[in-house]
Each structure stands twice: as C-alpha cells, then as structure tokens.
C-alpha cells in the first residue's frame, strides 16, 4: 500500500497510452469512473471550519464526470462505498431520520451512478437505517459477500451488468470488507447477516455471470492487503485478484489512499476520501469485444470548479444551509443564528515548527488532554486513550460552536471501559507508537510511517511514559509510570477507549483479553459539548505526561535551520513520511534553489 503516492492527472500517462494504442487493433472504448469514501461531502465544504474547500466534494466530481461523458458516451460511473457517513450533515442531521429523503443519495441519483458497493460505514446506524436510506437509490447497491441467513444477497444484488451502446456488456461485482461485525457487531441487524470472504464471493459471482459479460469489474470496499485476516486474505483485494486473474478492472477503497497500478491485464485504482480524487479506467476492445489494452489514472479534484447543478439540487441546497445553521447554532436542531455553546481563553494546539508536521502528534497538547480527561471523568477509568483524528484539529480562542467540537472529535463514537493488565496496556501503546518512523542519526525531524493512517495514533492519559524513537517498532514504550510507580506487567487497571478502537485494535489485533464492563449512553462528542456548556471559559492545560526520547534533531545546527526555512517557505516538500537528514544538506539546498529559480512552490 503506497500512501499519498504522487497524484497522476489526466496528462502524460493517458497521452502516452493513447499514442501506443493508436496503432493497436481496437475499435471500442469504455471508460469507467470510480469514486469511493465520499463520506457525505456533497458540497465541498468543511462544516467544522465553516468554509469552502478547494479540492474535494461530490460537486467537483460531477464537473469532471460530465466532461468525461461528453468525451465518451460509453462511460460507466460506480462507487465503492462509505458515502452516507462522515459529515455533520449526514451524522447529526440526516442519518437519524432515515425515512426522510437523504441528500447524499439525492446527489448520487442526479449524478447518474450505475452501481454502488456497500462500505463498512453504511452499517454504522444499523441495517434498517441503511436499508431505508439506500433504498432511495436509482441504482443497484451491491454486496456479493453479505448474505441473509437463507443465502440470498442482503442488498438484493451481488453484481449487475451494464449494457453499453457500443455492444459491450460490463459486469460490476461489489464486495465489502467482511470485518464489519468487528466494528459494528452489536449494531441493529448486523448479527443477522453473514459476511463471507471477499475472494470466494467474487469467484462465485463470476461463475453466476458466466458468458453474460465482456468485461469483469470488481468494486471492493477494502485495501489491497489484509486488514485483519493476514493468513487467509478474506479482506484483501490482492487475494481477490490472485484467485480471479480474469478480472479486468479492480477498484479498491476503504483506506483513503491512492492506488494506481496494473498487474498482468488488470488495472487497479483507488482514491482518497471526501471526493478528493476520482479513478479513471479506460479499456480498449476489438470488434469481438476482447480487451486489447487498458489504462488507469487517478484524477485530483484540486482547483476543479464545483458543479452548480449538484449544489442547486433542492435537497442538497437545503441540507447545506441547514447544516451551517446547525453548526453556528451550537448543535441545536434548527440553530439560532450563531449562538456559541462555550468558550476558551486561548487556542489549544501549539504552532507547528515545521509546516504540516503536526506538533499535536509530537508532544502532549491541550486538545488531547481535554479529550482524555473528559473520558476519564465520564468512565471512572484509570487510563484513557484517544486520537487526534485530524492533524490540524484545534480549538480557537474565544467562542466555540458545534463545528469546533466536531473538528476535534469527528466520529460519533461511544466510550467503553475495559479492565487491562499492565502488559496489555503497554502492548496497546506499542501498537500506537508504530505510527512513527525510526529516528536515524542526522535526521532533522520526526516523521510518520505512511503505512499507518493518522487516525490510528492514540495518546494516553493517566500514565506517564516515554516513546524511544531510536528503537524499532515494538520496543519503543519505556518508563511507564502509574500512580508514581513503574507499571508492572501483572498490574490491573481500567482503560477508557472508544468503541471503534476497542473493536478494531484491542480485540481485532488481540491486544486485550478482557471485555468491556461499561458503555456510555451518549457519544464522546456529546460529552465534550456538555463539558464546554458547564465549564466555559475553558483554559488550555497540558500535563506533559508523555514525551518522545532517543532523538537528537540537531536544533542548534545552522544547516537544520536552513532546511526548515526552505520547507516552511514552500521550496522543499514537507518531510512527513520520510525525515530529511543533514547528510543530504547540499542536495536539499540545490533542490530548494532550483524550485526558487523556477518559482515552483511545493
């Protein structure tokens, strides 16, 4: 899995491919456009920040989709799931009212989707809610590996065939990660469904399709590699392809990362989240409908003009305005025109020393202490763990509205309490600390392993500890102190953690043997809202109970200062996934000088 791989726009790669194809024996052209993980972002708007974006949203996707349809009338539009969850609009206003028209489905209907695969987040509100919302779609909802008890497809379809005007028949098979019960197993209706391995479900669907299709497309809501089932690959898109090499197009999703490759004759593509990108697959066929060549490109939506057609859909426009009022009104159902729900005395996050390298993950901060201390107070636990879900999450000085709370806690998680041993807690802490790259002598910054999504890094309150980044993964957590004494492996203590982390990490990774003994009746986000309503103005406070050790960032070396200056001024890339090293000083300065001369900000 390559995270934040260089984005390919519809330029060099497609041009080269077409020049090669010019001499090829093809007479038919099919374009397949793939979206996924749109997470309720219709407008291209960050409600938590109360501002427009310039690089995402379904409205921007539709602008590009319309252009491609003008180029090629044989264009198919598919989606790989996680669409009805993820914004204040969806999570706080519409998903609790599934009998009402849903703005995301309304927009997707207008955009003319040919099929959608279920994502795991479609299940967050239970089967009945998901069924009611998705039943509004004018296109089939696919899930070949989600079955009713009698073996029938839970959504009514595991695959569909799209008949193009040039006589080409395209089969689309949808599969979702079978790990849904790990995360939402106790949500309404999940236990009544059977989630089968994705690879075998695709094999079965291909057999059912038989000779009805010329092209086989698999839309898989999962990453290329197994998330939990490393031994059998039941949740691996790579395993799907290994078992079914006849697949022509493989769309992947779920991990919010760019995937763009070709294995044998199969083109593979995946995009990031929020409508940031779209995957474009072009297939070229001969008169007998045999695929003679294919290409894949990932198109970045940065700078694309949002479609006014999407924004002018009555329900979409109403939902957008309603959400802004809800945020400005402090989370009230209708809002009251800007009332704050509390206030702060100062901002809660320190300024980043290096552009886009989050200080909030390099040291203890007031944002994380606030969340963890609220979790400790609500649960009565000894230790709390939580993540900074977005690197830029902060609470500004002054009045706080609901969008600010959503900004620091964007998921609708509940809180669990579970008894753990000292050894189990330290194993959990090691799992979290694996997000960092190991520091090497001469490195001028700490960087993050791109294989670990940002939201997987938890910080802990209730214990004092150090993270030694001179050591490899699994050996970094040192000097753990609890109640003023070293934490022993056989000590027992209670841990507060959100329901998602409990399921996916503590249980999914086998880190903890105990079961939860308490669950909150309300969401963690609601707890934070309540805290501000009762305690404002709230002052940022940090106890610095953890720190990174084992590194020497050469902060007194003038060469480091020069490198940092070039990064912050935009003449060098941010070293997020790989640290800059003083041994490369001359090469880095030459690169910066070349960018300055060309006026090329990066």
């Amino acid at each position: 899995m390559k995270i934040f791989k260089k984005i390919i726009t519809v330029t060099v790669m497609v041009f080269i491919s077409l020049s090669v194809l010019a001499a090829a024996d093809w007479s038919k052209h099919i374009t397949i456009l793939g979206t996924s993980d749109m997470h309720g972002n219709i407008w291209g708007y960050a409600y938590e920040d109360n501002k427009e974006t310039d690089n995402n949203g379904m409205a921007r996707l539709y602008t590009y989709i319309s252009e491609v349809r003008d180029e090629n009338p044989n264009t198919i539009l598919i989606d790989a799931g996680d669409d009805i969850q993820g914004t204040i609009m969806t999570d706080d206003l519409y998903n609790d009212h599934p009998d009402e028209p849903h703005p995301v489905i309304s927009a997707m209907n207008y955009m003319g989707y040919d099929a959608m695969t279920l994502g795991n987040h479609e299940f967050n509100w239970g089967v009945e809610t998901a069924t009611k919302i998705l039943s509004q779609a004018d296109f089939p909802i696919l899930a070949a590996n989600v079955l009713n008890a009698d073996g029938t497809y839970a959504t009514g379809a595991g695959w569909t065939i799209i008949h193009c005007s040039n006589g080409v028949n395209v089969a689309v098979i949808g599969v979702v990660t079978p790990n849904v019960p790990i995360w939402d197993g106790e949500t309404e209706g999940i236990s009544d469904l059977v989630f089968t391995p994705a690879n075998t479900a695709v094999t079965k669907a291909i057999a059912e399709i038989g000779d009805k299709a010329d092209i086989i497309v698999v839309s898989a809501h999962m990453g290329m590699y197994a998330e939990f089932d490393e031994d059998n690959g039941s949740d691996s898109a790579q395993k799907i392809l290994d078992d079914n090499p006849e697949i022509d197009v493989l769309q992947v999703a779920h991990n919010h990362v760019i995937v763009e490759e070709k294995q044998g004759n199969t083109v593979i593509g995946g995009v990031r989240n929020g409508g940031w990108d779209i995957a474009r697959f072009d297939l070229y066929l001969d008169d007998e409908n045999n695929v003679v060549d294919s290409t894949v490109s990932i198109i970045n939506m940065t700078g694309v003009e949002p479609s006014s057609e999407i924004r002018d859909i009555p329900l979409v426009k109403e939902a957008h305005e309603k959400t802004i009022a809800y945020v400005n009104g402090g989370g009230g159902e209708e809002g009251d025109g800007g009332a704050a729900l509390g206030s702060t005395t100062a901002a809660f996050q320190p300024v980043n020393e290096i552009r886009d390298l989050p200080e909030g993950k390099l040291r203890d901060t007031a944002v994380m202490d606030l969340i963890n201390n609220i979790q400790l107070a609500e649960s009565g636990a000894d230790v709390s763990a939580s993540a900074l879900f977005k690197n830029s999450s902060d609470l500004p000085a002054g009045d706080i509205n609901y969008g600010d709370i959503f900004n620091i806690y964007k998921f609708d998680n509940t809180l669990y309490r579970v008894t753990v041993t000292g050894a189990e807690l330290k194993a959990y802490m090691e799992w979290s600390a694996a997000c960092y790259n190991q520091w090497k002598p001469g490195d001028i910054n700490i960087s993050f392993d791109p294989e670990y999504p940002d939201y997987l890094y938890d910080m802990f309150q209730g214990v004092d500890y150090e993270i030694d980044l001179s050591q490899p993964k699994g050996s970094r957590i040192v000097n753990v102190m609890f109640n003023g004494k070293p934490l022993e492996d056989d000590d027992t203590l209670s841990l507060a953690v959100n329901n998602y982390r409990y399921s996916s990490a503590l249980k999914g990774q086998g880190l903890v043997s105990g079961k939860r003994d308490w669950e909150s009746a309300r969401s963690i986000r609601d707890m934070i809202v309540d805290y501000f309503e009762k305690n404002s103005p709230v002052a940022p406070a940090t106890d610095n109970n953890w720190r990174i050790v084992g590194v020497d960032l050469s902060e007194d070396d003038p060469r480091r200062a020069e490198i940092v200056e070039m990064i912050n001024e935009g003449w060098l890339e941010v070293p997020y996934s790989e640290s800059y090293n003083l041994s490369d000083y001359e090469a880095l300065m030459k690169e910066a000088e070349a960018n300055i001369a060309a006026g090329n900000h990066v």
Side-chain angles (χ1 to χ4, degrees):
M1 178 172 64
K2 301 292 184 183
I3 294 185
F4 293 115
K5 183 180 177 182
K6 183 178 179 182
I7 299 167
I8 303 296
T9 57
V10 61
T11 51
V12 178
M13 178 179 176
V14 174
F15 175 78
I16 293 172
S17 298
L18 290 176
S19 67
V20 173
L21 287 167
D25 182 19
W26 64 273
S27 59
K28 300 178 182 182
H29 177 198
I30 300 292
T31 300
I32 300 169
L33 299 178
T35 63
S36 74
D37 300 279
M38 296 187 293
H39 286 290
N41 187 357
I42 307 173
W43 196 271
Y45 196 91
Y47 295 107
E48 61 272 24
D49 299 324
N50 201 24
K51 66 180 182 181
E52 295 257 357
T53 65
D54 63 3
N55 62 359
N56 60 22
M58 295 165 67
R60 284 190 172 83
L61 292 172
Y62 188 63
T63 296
Y64 180 76
I65 291 163
S66 299
E67 292 173 355
V68 175
R69 284 172 170 160
D70 288 341
E71 296 170 10
N72 185 5
N74 289 297
T75 294
I76 295 169
L77 179 61
I78 62 175
D79 183 89
D82 274 9
D83 299 313
I84 65 171
Q85 172 273 346
T87 65
I88 297 174
M89 175 195 292
T90 56
D91 297 9
D92 292 274
L93 294 179
Y94 284 90
N95 290 352
D96 287 334
H97 305 282
D99 292 311
E100 299 176 6
H102 199 283
V104 170
I105 303 302
S106 179
M108 293 181 75
N109 284 338
Y110 189 94
M111 294 167 74
Y113 275 86
D114 293 289
M116 171 188 168
T117 296
L118 278 181
N120 60 288
H121 280 293
E122 265 72 63
F123 291 96
N124 288 168
W125 282 262
V127 172
E128 183 178 0
T129 292
T131 300
K132 287 180 177 180
I133 293 173
L134 296 173
S135 67
Q136 300 172 28
D138 295 337
F139 44 86
I141 307 298
L142 309 178
N145 66 324
V146 184
L147 308 177
N148 295 312
D150 62 2
T152 58
Y153 292 124
T155 65
W159 52 271
T160 189
I161 295 181
I162 301 159
H163 306 283
C164 299
S165 62
N166 59 4
V168 177
N169 297 323
V170 179
V172 181
I173 304 166
V175 285
V176 62
T177 169
N179 300 318
V180 169
I182 294 177
W183 303 307
D184 287 307
E186 297 186 10
T187 305
E188 175 271 326
I190 302 297
S191 62
D192 297 328
L193 300 176
V194 179
F195 292 81
T196 67
N199 52 314
T200 57
V202 169
T203 301
K204 177 176 178 287
I206 290 175
E208 291 173 352
I209 293 164
D211 61 359
K212 299 183 183 74
D214 305 299
I215 293 172
I216 298 293
V217 177
V218 172
S219 175
H221 190 84
M222 64 193 68
M224 286 298 292
Y225 304 105
E227 189 172 9
F228 292 106
D229 189 11
E230 294 183 0
D231 292 334
N232 300 307
S234 64
D235 55 352
S236 159
Q238 183 64 59
K239 179 64 172 173
I240 293 173
L241 184 56
D242 290 344
D243 289 0
N244 304 279
E246 65 269 43
I247 294 169
D248 297 291
V249 174
L250 176 58
Q251 180 189 21
V252 296
H254 183 56
N255 288 335
H256 300 179
V257 299
I258 288 175
V259 177
E260 179 194 32
E261 60 182 275
K262 191 169 186 177
Q263 294 187 29
N265 294 320
T266 306
V267 281
I268 308 167
V271 299
R272 291 172 291 183
N273 57 308
W276 196 346
D277 318 284
I278 193 168
R280 174 172 178 162
F281 306 92
D282 287 284
L283 292 88
Y284 305 90
L285 301 88
D286 60 22
D287 289 336
E288 302 299 320
N289 289 350
N290 300 305
V291 177
V292 296
D293 208 342
S294 56
T295 63
V296 57
S297 52
I298 306 301
I299 315 302
N300 186 347
M301 293 296 106
T302 300
V304 173
E305 187 70 21
S307 167
S308 59
E309 294 180 54
I310 297 300
R311 289 185 169 186
D312 287 342
I313 296 171
L315 180 57
V316 169
K317 188 173 183 179
E318 174 189 324
H320 176 65
E321 294 172 351
K322 184 177 180 180
T323 306
I324 291 175
Y326 178 87
V327 170
N328 290 337
E333 182 63 31
E334 297 300 330
D336 59 7
L341 56 81
S343 63
T344 69
T345 61
F348 273 55
Q349 280 280 32
V351 175
N352 294 337
E353 182 209 11
I354 298 176
R355 174 172 60 101
D356 294 337
L357 278 183
E359 288 292 325
K361 291 181 178 175
L362 301 178
R363 53 174 156 148
D364 196 16
T365 67
V367 168
M368 293 313 305
D369 279 10
L370 173 75
I371 296 170
N372 273 321
N373 283 328
I374 289 172
Q375 291 187 173
L376 287 173
E378 292 279 340
S379 66
D382 299 312
V383 179
S384 174
S386 189
L388 186 70
F389 295 120
K390 189 172 77 170
N391 287 344
S392 59
S393 293
D394 194 8
L395 289 171
D399 288 344
I400 298 297
N401 64 26
Y402 189 76
D404 295 314
I405 303 302
F406 190 93
N407 192 28
I408 67 167
Y409 209 98
K410 66 179 296 184
F411 297 108
D412 206 28
N413 300 129
T414 56
L415 187 63
Y416 286 0
R417 185 182 63 213
V418 59
T419 298
V420 299
T421 66
E424 289 174 333
L425 179 61
K426 285 184 276 190
Y428 175 20
M429 297 167 79
E430 288 286 3
W431 173 86
S432 179
C435 80
Y436 295 108
N437 289 323
Q438 187 171 352
W439 179 82
K440 303 184 299 295
D443 283 350
I444 62 101
N445 66 281
I446 295 167
S447 59
F448 299 88
D449 188 334
E451 295 291 335
Y452 290 78
D454 295 330
Y455 57 81
L456 291 185
Y457 177 55
D458 285 348
M459 287 161 269
F460 299 81
Q461 191 75 358
V463 287
D464 297 318
Y465 63 101
E466 295 175 338
I467 306 171
D468 187 349
L469 292 187
S470 69
Q471 299 302 310
K473 300 177 192 295
S475 303
R476 293 174 170 175
I477 300 298
V478 296
N479 299 326
V480 184
M481 304 289 289
F482 176 60
N483 288 337
K485 299 179 181 179
L487 181 66
E488 302 295 340
D489 286 352
D490 58 356
D491 287 343
T492 59
L493 58 168
S494 56
L495 170 69
V497 65
N498 72 55
N499 62 306
Y500 179 87
R501 189 67 85 235
Y502 172 87
S503 300
S504 63
L506 272 61
K507 290 302 181 182
Q509 303 292 327
L511 299 174
V512 170
S513 59
K515 295 182 179 181
R516 72 180 187 277
D517 54 39
W518 174 85
E519 177 182 359
S520 65
R522 56 180 177 165
S523 72
I524 296 169
R525 192 161 64 225
D526 286 344
M527 297 175 192
I528 301 171
V529 168
D530 182 62
Y531 183 85
F532 272 91
E533 289 176 340
K534 293 178 179 178
N535 295 283
S536 290
V538 178
T542 307
D543 65 358
N544 297 308
N545 69 301
W546 69 271
R547 66 187 183 118
I548 291 172
V549 299
V551 302
D552 177 5
L553 300 181
S554 304
E555 293 175 341
D556 295 330
D557 193 311
R559 295 174 298 171
R560 180 185 190 272
E562 288 186 66
I563 295 171
V564 170
E565 181 181 6
M566 292 297 101
I567 298 168
N568 289 339
E569 292 184 357
W571 303 120
L572 286 175
E573 296 275 3
V574 176
Y576 191 87
S577 59
E578 185 175 356
S579 300
Y580 286 149
N581 195 282
L582 288 177
S583 63
D584 299 320
Y585 168 75
E586 292 184 3
L588 289 169
M589 289 300 103
K590 287 182 180 178
E591 180 181 345
E593 290 170 4
N595 284 328
I596 292 171
N600 180 31
H601 276 91
V602 294

